[in-house]
Amino acid sequence: MHCQEGVGVPREMITMAPKSLLVRFLMLLFISSVVSAKMRPRLGVQTKFKGVPISSISASSNSSVFFNYTQTLDHFNYRPDSFTTFQQRYIVNSRYWGGTNTSSPIFIFLGAESSIDAQIDTILDDYATKFNALLVYIEHRYYGSSVPFGSWEEAFSNTTTLGYFNSAQALADYAELIVNLKSNLSAETCPVIVIGGSYGGMLASWFRLKYPHIAVGALASSAPILDTDNILPEDYAYVIVSKDFQEESESCYNTIQQSWSIIDSHDNNDLAFLTQMFKLCDPLNTKSELKDYLESIYCDAAQYDYVQPSISLVDIICQGIDGVSNESNILTRIVAGLDAYRGEQLCYDINEYYPPNDRTILGWNWQACTDMITSSGRTHNNTMFQISPYDQNEFIEGCQQIYGATLTPRPHWIATEFGGHDIKLVLQNFGSNIIFSNGLRDPFSGGGVLQNISDSLVAIYTTNGSHCLDILPANEADPIWLTAQRNSEIEIMQGWISEYNSIHNKKNVTDKGM
């Protein structure tokens, strides 16, 4: 999601990909890492207290407080400009905290590719009561209010100012802020567990591997850490989306599969007809716009299926499609599925998933063109979507058209920096205390760790679960399998904390005896 060249760049350039699908699909599956864009954050309407002294945090505090941390721009160089700083926003909730003397844990939620306001409605409030934990939510650099160089416009003005925007710098931000926070709270001995969802889940797992002296463990929800460097088939996510629909209804699956060629059969003179038939708010410029929009809807429904307990978004679409008479034509059924999913509006905004100049999308475009590159395409007729193979050269050329010919994407860097190939063998050698949680209806579960690697590198998944469902707030209507998944996570984290405190207490006894 990207640059000043991103501001005002034509939408089709911003979402450049093979057949204009790759970046669009990446944005769809990563935007709103923890909650669907349709859900509103709980703390978004609260007053943002900036500049409150950190000393005001105590176990007796009764609200979440917003702070700004003076963060280092470049953690990995000693150039004069590396020591430039920017204000990084974070939120502290201490209403449940047992305090420093109790060795109560600190749960750190690692912000991902959006404002932290959109990511704080999670299960952590429920977990905090069980652990007497301090809750901290940290915003990712270049998202929300945490932008360097004084303003978003300046930060995204060129590739030089965007050059400090990558996952390694973000992890170092978290490390520096956590160490500083613990010191200011005199909480150096309190165990830290980092938590994140989707891209944030990837960051959480990588943080535990890179900074094990800071975090005793990590909960990585729906984290597709294997989706890099051609480790996986390029169509894995589309295969899962198709499987979700096919399991729901064979006729629904077949209708969608047949619809693409029927849309293609209309020539450019029929764009007005398609616009009217699908009740679009703006006239179509190409048939690909319509196909991309429908594709986004199907992927969105699969990714966030069962976000509301016992409500299947995939089923809603398929009920709409199958509810129309078999005598109706294919496109009429597709429109009925759209109406069912969107609630039959006067018109549908074809840009709803990718609003022009949306800062979250522009930010992720940059990451998708630099270090967070994945291959996403379809080379076989094994999904309900059209064949559209991934072409890395075409993808890189698209990125260079946005950012300039000097941009050099690094498609292999994530695997080099954090690992991925032979993940079981590698993590067995040096990794520990990571929970990889997934729901198998989530397209990105195919990029996650789905088997235990060791006793402390644990995979917990649910057959009916969807994207980051385990870290959404608990609900009385939650199914038994979801509650069981969360209880398993709690039990494992309790073990980490008990082990840490036991080792720390023994050390104190030894030190006193010396």
Side-chain angles (χ1 to χ4, degrees), residues 391-424:
D391 184 323
Q392 188 170 93
N393 291 331
E394 184 179 352
F395 173 76
I396 290 175
E397 288 174 5
C399 290
Q400 289 174 336
Q401 288 180 52
I402 300 171
Y403 300 108
T406 59
L407 178 73
T408 305
R410 304 176 72 182
H412 308 294
W413 177 246
I414 286 294
T416 302
E417 173 77 356
F418 301 116
H421 294 280
D422 298 320
I423 191 71
K424 185 173 184 179

Side-chain angles (χ1 to χ4, degrees), residues 300-361:
D300 182 68
Q303 184 179 2
Y304 296 106
D305 212 17
Y306 292 110
V307 165
Q308 297 182 36
S310 303
I311 297 178
S312 167
L313 303 180
V314 171
D315 182 51
I316 287 173
I317 292 175
C318 284
Q319 283 190 27
I321 290 175
D322 292 341
V324 177
S325 169
N326 289 334
E327 296 178 1
S328 302
N329 63 49
I330 294 292
L331 293 191
T332 298
R333 296 180 211 168
I334 295 297
V335 171
L338 173 60
D339 287 340
Y341 189 58
R342 283 288 175 254
E344 195 156 357
Q345 302 170 15
L346 290 176
C347 70
Y348 298 107
D349 180 9
I350 204 167
N351 294 315
E352 68 172 297
Y353 288 103
Y354 316 103
N357 298 331
D358 180 278
R359 292 184 177 184
T360 291
I361 292 176

Side-chain angles (χ1 to χ4, degrees), residues 365-378:
N365 269 358
W366 168 262
Q367 290 194 265
C369 277
T370 50
D371 67 335
M372 295 300 298
I373 295 176
T374 67
S375 57
S376 179
R378 302 180 294 271

Side-chain angles (χ1 to χ4, degrees), residues 306-311 462 464-465 469 475-486:
Y306 292 110
V307 165
Q308 297 182 36
S310 303
I311 297 178
T462 56
N464 291 326
L469 191 58
N475 187 304
E476 290 182 357
D478 285 340
I480 294 174
W481 51 263
L482 177 56
T483 300
Q485 182 182 29
R486 289 172 176 150

